[in-house]
Amino acid sequence: MVATSTNEVPGIANYDRKSEVKTFDDTKEGVKGLVDAGITQVPRIFHLPVDQYPINSTCDSELTKTQLRIPVIDLEGLEYDNNPTKRKEIVAKVAEASETWGFFQIANHGIPVDVLEEIKNGVRGFFEQDTEVKKELYTRDHFRPVIYNSNFDLYSAPATNWRDTFLCNMAPNPPKPEDLPQVCRDILVEYSKQVMKLGKLLFELLSEALGLKPSHLNDMDCSLGLQVLGHYYPPCPQPELTLGASKHADNDFITVLLQDHIGGLQVLHQNKWIDVLPVPGALVVNIGDLLQATYIK
């Protein structure tokens, strides 16, 4: 989608970003609070530099968008130990996708669809619950069991993303259940168990894709930890001025991402931004910086 606008880019005279960022942070209401207040213009702290505005960016052609799609790998059949041919085929696809794209989607991964739907509803329920309840969890203290805020790099980034987030460290030392948000407590625990199991399987496949024994990456404790993040992107009155997530890389071993039906995720491939279209029931896998740094060729 190409957005156009006749709005002039605001000047920077008398703009005290540090002060405005602190004022925003002190509300403890995040981007959702701005939307609930009925704002019609995006505050300056969210404005991208002019040369990065989507309305000024060169968009890939529709032909390119239809031709390039990140691989979708069907894991069905992996549960049967007596089918080594199927496993070899899947390992080969994982190897090619990891090396060529650094991303792939997985279908038939073993996590029930109802669990996926429930965790999406749980994340949405967290951000849409009473503001005063959420405020109790708003923090920038990384030692808290649950960290809810808007933009982890709020005070250092050149532009604020139009996004609120909560984070829970679910492994290896999970929080006490009573410390988790009540609105999504049970599903956070269940989803974490399911993702940990899937993560171990993915590290087996990645180990084999590297020509190593299946247990290699798990033996290195690559699957020991788990952070669960829930992102929320409220409706934006001027989407041409900001982004929900800036260009970045993930500083982990792997990221397992669940999209909703709206989409919006893009990956950079051969210097082109490619849409990652939501596939019902599928998960997106991103090869993180730590795994690349460990086994870069």
Side-chain angles (χ1 to χ4, degrees), residues 3-8 53 55 238 240-241:
T4 58
S5 173
T6 57
N7 295 334
E8 294 182 0
Y53 277 12
I55 59 175
Q238 294 175 300
E240 71 276 10
L241 299 182

Side-chain angles (χ1 to χ4, degrees), residues 154-204:
L154 179 65
Y155 289 92
S156 60
T160 305
N161 286 164
W162 193 260
R163 178 189 73 245
D164 297 331
T165 300
F166 75 78
L167 179 153
C168 305
N169 286 301
M170 300 300 292
N173 301 306
K176 298 176 182 177
E178 58 267 28
D179 287 336
L180 295 172
Q182 184 176 3
V183 68
C184 55
R185 178 180 299 158
D186 293 341
I187 188 57
L188 272 174
V189 173
E190 177 60 26
Y191 183 70
S192 297
K193 290 179 181 177
Q194 297 276 357
V195 172
M196 287 293 286
K197 180 180 177 181
L198 174 61
K200 290 178 180 179
L201 172 60
L202 288 171
F203 282 120
E204 286 184 5

